[in-house]
Amino acid sequence: MNVVAQPLTTPLVRPAPPAPYGMLAELTHRCPLQCPYCSNPVELDRRNVELDLDTWKRVFSEAAKLGVLQVHLSGGEPTARRDLEDMVRHCVEVGIYTNLITAGVGVTPERLQAISDAGIDHVQLSFQGATAEVTDKVSNFRGAHERKLAVAREVRRLGLPLTINSVVHRANIHQIPAFIELALELDAKRIEIAHSQYYGWALRNRGALMPTREQVFWALDVVEEARARLKGRLTIDAVVPDYYAKYPKPCMNGWGRQSLNVTPSGKVLPCHAAETIPNLDFWNVREHSLSDVWLNSPAFNAFRGTDWMPDLCKSCERKEIDWGGCRCQAMAIAGDAAATDPACHKSPLHAHMLALAEADAATGEAEYDYRRYLTPDRNN
């Protein structure tokens, strides 16, 4: 008897993604500094749309149930939230490790003591320069550097672990050795030397921030030498600018694979720059549980895994190493979020991306368009 094969009527089911283990909670976009490389969107959320304390507590509880192990309390400047200590206490209650990412400006010793008493696990303090002249110029805040030094010392006096975060660009890349010495002086156990990534305000200021190729490779040599010399004493994490890379970075270790971001207004994003991609539907914690967003939202599933990839990426031996690289960068350079990341040397736009970097690096001194709340006229 001949048996005729019947077409499948059951739709293919996408396997459930693993649980995220990290969450960036952008509590506010308010910040006293105006750094021109800020990763916040150019159109900042206003205070009147920020999630209230009870909603954030619910989000943290849902994050713990989902599997999140650590939450980065960020902004803007998270200490601008007067209820920050309540959030920290709640995270402690639900068993989430808390990392405070702060600019340190305006944080008094009394406030730091209160945050410590609430149970904060770790403090990450940003420095825009290794000297007062550079810090104050880049942040557009006079006296910022001295305030940061005082906060760093108070953090260590309280016995809290300290990471120094230095975003590197043309104005301060020469200070990398001094940044490392500053971290040692402040008794930090870790320093993050992160070259500016060109999204948000950094993309707007790319011509004023981009270092030369020679500067970047000099910086890499400095970091490698310091890593060997200071092994066991200081952990040095480094992020290179994609514009000079050969391979794309596995952005967020893959879209929707390990982490998520919650904006001040409650949107849940696969990465901090995801809103630069048009036509993605970002669900909000006001209407959806965090678990529902992680598993089912169209934005998280848009570039998850490898099925979405163009043929060039699907056939690549690195497809589950790089996970396609950065979708926001593909959008910014190629005009298509599903295109091969131009940071990859196999991309037809790789040479174009390098040419953009070299042209920007050659502009010399340029005025910053400082991060600030824009008026409707300036947004147009």
Side-chain angles (χ1 to χ4, degrees):
M1 181 177 71
N2 293 330
V3 177
V4 178
Q6 298 296 315
L8 293 173
T9 57
T10 303
L12 294 176
V13 178
R14 183 195 297 264
Y21 63 75
M23 183 174 81
L24 178 68
E26 295 181 319
L27 305 181
T28 180
H29 280 161
R30 289 174 281 147
C31 184
L33 305 188
Q34 297 184 343
C35 305
Y37 58 76
C38 183
S39 61
N40 287 159
V42 170
E43 189 169 347
L44 300 165
D45 285 344
R46 301 279 176 169
R47 182 174 185 170
N48 62 353
V49 303
E50 292 176 7
L51 299 178
D52 61 22
L53 175 61
D54 287 342
T55 305
W56 273 116
K57 284 182 169 182
R58 173 176 62 80
V59 170
F60 294 138
S61 294
E62 291 175 354
K65 290 179 181 177
L66 185 57
V68 169
L69 300 177
Q70 58 183 348
V71 62
H72 305 282
L73 301 168
S74 181
E77 174 49 54
T79 61
R81 293 282 305 230
R82 300 199 178 253
D83 50 8
L84 174 63
E85 291 89 330
D86 294 318
M87 297 186 198
V88 172
R89 275 189 287 270
H90 187 77
C91 288
V92 172
E93 289 171 5
V94 298
I96 300 178
Y97 183 94
T98 51
N99 175 37
L100 175 65
I101 303 176
T102 178
V105 175
V107 185
T108 64
E110 293 77 16
R111 185 79 195 279
L112 271 177
Q113 181 70 64
I115 294 169
S116 177
D117 291 344
I120 199 74
D121 291 300
H122 183 273
V123 176
Q124 187 169 330
L125 179 63
S126 67
F127 275 84
Q128 286 69 42
T131 59
E133 180 184 9
V134 176
T135 295
D136 296 0
K137 166 67 175 174
V138 173
S139 66
N140 202 28
F141 191 105
R142 182 175 296 178
H145 193 77
E146 294 303 320
R147 296 189 186 199
K148 290 169 182 288
L149 292 175
V151 167
R153 293 178 181 124
E154 186 65 17
V155 167
R156 293 302 295 129
R157 188 192 70 79
L158 290 169
L160 295 168
L162 174 66
T163 289
I164 298 302
N165 179 44
S166 54
V167 176
V168 174
H169 45 81
R170 193 160 73 227
N172 64 9
I173 191 169
H174 64 285
Q175 292 191 321
I176 287 179
F179 274 122
I180 294 170
E181 291 306 311
L182 179 64
L184 292 171
E185 176 191 331
L186 295 173
D187 194 30
K189 299 306 179 187
R190 177 175 170 268
I191 182 171
E192 182 176 298
I193 298 172
H195 287 258
S196 181
Q197 303 296 302
Y198 295 97
Y199 321 108
W201 288 91
L203 181 60
R204 193 180 184 97
N205 284 284
R206 193 179 66 191
L209 296 172
M210 184 70 71
T212 66
R213 184 183 183 91
E214 291 72 22
Q215 287 175 317
V216 169
F217 283 92
W218 169 83
L220 293 175
D221 289 341
V222 170
V223 167
E224 287 309 309
E225 183 279 329
R227 279 175 168 164
R229 175 168 48 90
L230 299 172
K231 185 177 181 180
R233 185 179 174 193
L234 180 68
T235 299
I236 305 176
D237 292 334
V239 180
V240 300
D242 290 343
Y243 282 57
Y244 293 112
K246 180 178 181 181
Y247 295 107
K249 64 178 179 292
C251 189
M252 310 304 292
N253 289 315
W255 182 281
R257 291 190 67 247
Q258 296 181 350
S259 61
L260 42 77
N261 294 27
V262 182
T263 72
S265 62
K267 291 180 184 177
V268 189
L269 313 177
C271 76
H272 62 269
E275 287 183 280
T276 61
I277 301 175
N279 303 318
L280 286 183
D281 183 10
F282 299 107
W283 288 1
N284 195 297
V285 295
R286 300 180 197 270
E287 292 88 36
H288 297 269
S289 71
L290 207 60
S291 176
D292 190 23
V293 175
W294 178 254
L295 295 172
N296 302 312
S297 73
F300 273 81
N301 285 316
F303 302 110
R304 209 171 228 156
T306 59
D307 289 346
W308 62 271
M309 291 181 178
D311 290 341
L312 183 60
C313 299
K314 278 184 180 178
S315 61
C316 180
E317 69 280 2
R318 295 177 59 90
K319 69 178 179 181
E320 293 187 359
I321 298 174
D322 301 330
W323 296 102
C326 180
R327 298 301 89 221
C328 303
Q329 193 154 258
M331 186 70 230
I333 304 298
D336 179 5
T340 299
D341 186 343
C344 180
H345 71 287
K346 297 181 181 181
S347 166
L349 288 175
H350 184 68
H352 172 65
M353 187 174 187
L354 180 58
L356 288 174
E358 291 173 341
D360 287 330
T363 58
E365 292 297 321
E367 292 296 318
Y368 294 141
D369 187 356
Y370 284 112
R371 173 203 190 272
R372 54 175 63 89
Y373 286 92
L374 302 181
T375 64
D377 287 341
R378 287 194 67 187
N379 275 325
N380 290 337

